[in-house]
Structures are given as structure tokens and as C-alpha cells.
Amino acid sequence: MQALTPDDYARLQRLRERYHAAHAHAFKVSAGGNPRLSVDMLCFQPLGAALCGALITPLTLSLALVPPGDATAQAAGAQCTVALPGGRYPFIAEWIDDDSWLWRCELLDDLSDLSSLEEANRLAQRLMEQVMAAQADE
């Protein structure tokens, strides 16, 4: 597995902050939101020129693909399917603000039973291990 650069980490941190700012009100007013959780982006690794990892919010756990900075912007709601070692996943383009977007594949839409962000992070780590591990031949 290739390590992320300091610039990659800084980019993910900025994206996490923007995502939180853009959705903070929705997180607060949503009946299904887990108040013990916040936005976190973790377990990212290079996937071609993009970065692939987990996006945790108070509402969902998703796979996220962060395109390179010079990628052609996609319209909100555009769809693509990405083959990862653990299978094929359907992603939707999601704009965060006027300058930032990512591809997102929602995997869990109910995180209400998680007691802490640390527990959510452990779940995301297990998820990414499965997604990025090659499937055994049947």
C-alpha cells in the first residue's frame, strides 16, 4: 500500500472541514443523526490519481473517491461504477461547495447504534480492509 503525502493529508483535512461546514445544519436537524459522531475521512489510499477511503458522518458511512485536483468536474448526481479489489461499487458525484466535490458510495445509512467516533472509525477501518482486499475465487 502506498503512503499518502503530506499534501494529500492536508487536502483531505480541508475537504473534511468543508464537508462538515456544508452539512452541519442537516446533521443537527436530521432525525437519524448520531450526535456522538462528526465528519471524518480516514483510511485513504491512492487509487490511480484519486484517493479512496471512508467518509463518516453523523448519518452515514460511505466510500469516497477524491479525484485529483485537475480532474474534470462532474455534475452533481453523475454516476459511475468503480472496480475495487473487493468488488464493484456505484458512486455518485457530490458537490460539497462551489470548489469541492467527490465521488461517494453510501454503504451504511444508520449509525445510530455507534457509541463514539472511535467506534465508527474502527468500523470504517474494517470496511476498508474488506473493500481493498481482493475477493477469493469461488
Side-chain angles (χ1 to χ4, degrees):
M1 179 171 83
Q2 219 179 358
L4 298 183
T5 67
D7 287 342
D8 291 334
Y9 283 113
R11 184 167 175 228
L12 290 170
Q13 177 66 17
R14 285 190 304 274
L15 199 57
R16 184 201 67 76
E17 291 168 357
R18 288 178 172 191
Y19 199 95
H20 183 268
H23 298 289
H25 180 71
F27 296 150
K28 285 183 182 180
V29 300
S30 176
N34 184 333
R36 295 174 298 272
L37 303 182
S38 185
V39 175
D40 203 1
M41 299 180 83
L42 66 156
C43 303
F44 275 78
Q45 55 190 283
L47 183 68
L51 300 175
C52 180
L55 169 64
I56 298 171
T57 75
L59 300 172
T60 63
L61 174 59
S62 302
L63 287 174
L65 282 175
V66 177
D70 61 352
T72 302
Q74 299 294 313
Q79 299 178 12
C80 72
T81 300
V82 177
L84 298 172
R88 296 176 58 80
Y89 295 88
F91 285 82
I92 296 174
E94 180 177 339
W95 278 88
I96 299 165
D97 57 28
D98 290 342
D99 299 318
S100 305
W101 68 282
L102 53 73
W103 292 102
R104 190 170 72 87
C105 173
E106 185 176 297
L107 298 175
L108 296 173
D109 65 356
D110 181 4
L111 304 179
S112 61
D113 61 338
L114 297 176
S115 61
S116 67
L117 186 56
E118 292 77 22
E119 188 176 357
N121 287 349
R122 285 190 298 273
L123 177 62
Q125 289 169 345
R126 289 192 305 271
L127 165 93
M128 289 306 297
E129 287 170 2
Q130 295 295 316
V131 167
M132 298 310 280
Q135 293 180 334
D137 292 335
E138 297 180 18

